Amino acid sequence: MRTLKRIGKILLAILVLLVIGIGIFIYTLKPDYTGEQELVHLEKEVSVYYDNYGIPHIYGENEKDAFMALGYVHAQDRLWQMELLRRIASGGLSEVFGKDLVGTDKFFLSLGIADASKITVANVDEENEGVVLAKAYLDGINQFIAEGPTPIEFYLTGIEKEEFVLEDVYNTIGYMAFSFAMAHKTDPLLTTINSKLGPDYLKDLHIGSNVTTEWIKNYNPTQNDSIQNNLTTAVNKALGVLNVPLFEGSNSWVIAPEKTKNGKVILANDPA
């Protein structure tokens, strides 16, 4: 009996030490909102102030430095999310989550976003202001990747951190453009309603849909219905498996002209 109690105490002690160790490990991965950080390519000092909500306010003497600091603090808070976003258009989700995402990868590769990004980057104007700022932003991201703690999701999935490149920026923009295209949301939905429930159910939606309209000359109902249904299924499957909010921003806001310096309206939408 004493032996069993002793073994129980030893196991309990090991468990407590394990929990403490895991807690300390996770604590070391948390973002650092204090102190100073030296960014390699920074030209002048940049100040980053975090408010009570954890939102960073960046103050720099030039845009390039500000964007570099933005890249660093962005990666510090959202590197895992950024990793997943850049993988969507380039067909890299199945490398992380396995065979269930192969179909989604195939679908997004078929859209040609990644191919278009490669062509764009190959012909980009290196002196373009947008490109210069994007590369400064990437410098900030990549310095955090090289020097900062690794988010726990990378340990759980077993993937290695890799530097971000300009193609990743274009791939992410391409995916976001796709996800915000309302037709990709409404067309599959209306097709499904029409095919499963009938056109009468579309009348109550008041969207002016006319399912009898012949949009394509020499329309072949059998052939084109098959193509349309296949496309609808592909879109629904690809977006459904992602299991992330689509088509809507997490926060959209507008500032009235009387509250802006230039007297113009400011409209913003954050898809993250």
Side-chain angles (χ1 to χ4, degrees):
M1 183 66 71
R2 291 182 179 178
T3 302
L4 290 176
K5 287 184 178 180
R6 186 176 302 171
I7 294 175
K9 290 181 180 179
I10 294 174
L11 292 176
L12 180 61
I14 293 174
L15 180 61
V16 170
L17 290 175
L18 182 62
V19 171
I20 293 174
I22 293 174
I24 293 174
F25 172 70
I26 294 176
Y27 181 80
T28 62
L29 304 181
K30 62 179 293 189
D32 184 8
Y33 297 137
T34 60
E36 296 183 356
Q37 178 66 44
E38 184 176 345
L39 299 186
V40 178
H41 302 293
L42 207 63
E43 296 177 1
K44 296 184 178 181
E45 184 176 295
V46 175
S47 298
V48 181
Y49 162 72
Y50 287 90
D51 61 23
N52 292 333
Y53 298 98
I55 299 173
H57 300 256
I58 301 173
Y59 302 90
E61 296 187 35
N62 60 73
E63 281 192 293
K64 186 177 178 181
D65 286 349
F67 270 88
M68 194 179 306
L70 173 62
Y72 189 92
V73 300
H74 197 182
Q76 178 178 246
D77 280 337
R78 296 193 173 199
L79 185 60
W80 177 246
Q81 179 189 26
M82 294 160 67
E83 176 68 30
L84 295 185
L85 281 175
R86 71 166 169 176
R87 284 176 173 270
I88 296 175
S90 60
L93 289 175
S94 57
E95 295 177 2
V96 181
F97 300 111
K99 63 181 181 180
D100 289 344
L101 273 296
V102 170
T104 301
D105 284 345
K106 286 182 177 180
F107 174 79
F108 279 103
L109 285 173
S110 72
L111 296 179
I113 297 174
D115 292 334
S117 294
K118 290 180 180 179
I119 295 173
T120 301
V121 171
N123 296 281
V124 78
D125 177 9
E126 297 288 345
E127 302 300 321
N128 179 275
E129 182 181 7
V131 175
V132 172
L133 295 179
K135 287 190 172 182
Y137 171 72
L138 291 171
D139 284 341
I141 294 173
N142 292 331
Q143 181 162 342
F144 177 81
I145 288 175
E147 301 176 0
T150 301
I152 193 169
E153 292 89 349
F154 285 88
Y155 292 105
L156 295 175
T157 56
I159 66 172
E160 297 291 332
K161 294 185 297 184
E162 294 183 5
E163 287 193 349
F164 277 64
V165 295
L166 199 55
E167 279 185 30
D168 296 322
V169 175
Y170 282 99
N171 282 338
T172 302
I173 293 173
Y175 161 67
M176 298 309 298
F178 170 85
S179 71
F180 274 83
M182 288 303 295
H184 295 303
K185 177 181 181 180
T186 57
D187 288 357
L189 173 62
L190 297 179
T191 299
T192 301
I193 292 175
N194 182 62
S195 61
K196 290 187 176 182
L197 303 177
D200 289 340
Y201 281 82
L202 296 176
K203 295 178 182 178
D204 294 333
L205 298 179
H206 303 291
I207 55 175
S209 175
N210 184 357
V211 295
T212 64
T213 300
E214 187 172 302
W215 296 103
I216 303 175
K217 189 176 181 180
N218 299 324
Y219 180 79
N220 183 328
T222 303
Q223 178 183 1
N224 288 286
D225 284 348
S226 176
I227 293 173
Q228 186 180 38
N229 288 333
N230 288 338
L231 179 58
T232 299
T233 301
V235 172
N236 283 329
K237 282 186 176 180
L239 299 183
V241 174
L242 287 180
N243 197 28
V244 294
L246 298 167
F247 312 117
E248 299 176 2
S250 59
N251 45 82
S252 305
W253 46 266
V254 61
I255 298 179
E258 61 268 18
K259 294 185 178 294
T260 62
K261 289 183 178 180
N262 60 6
K264 296 182 179 180
V265 173
I266 297 179
L267 179 66
N269 181 281
D270 175 18

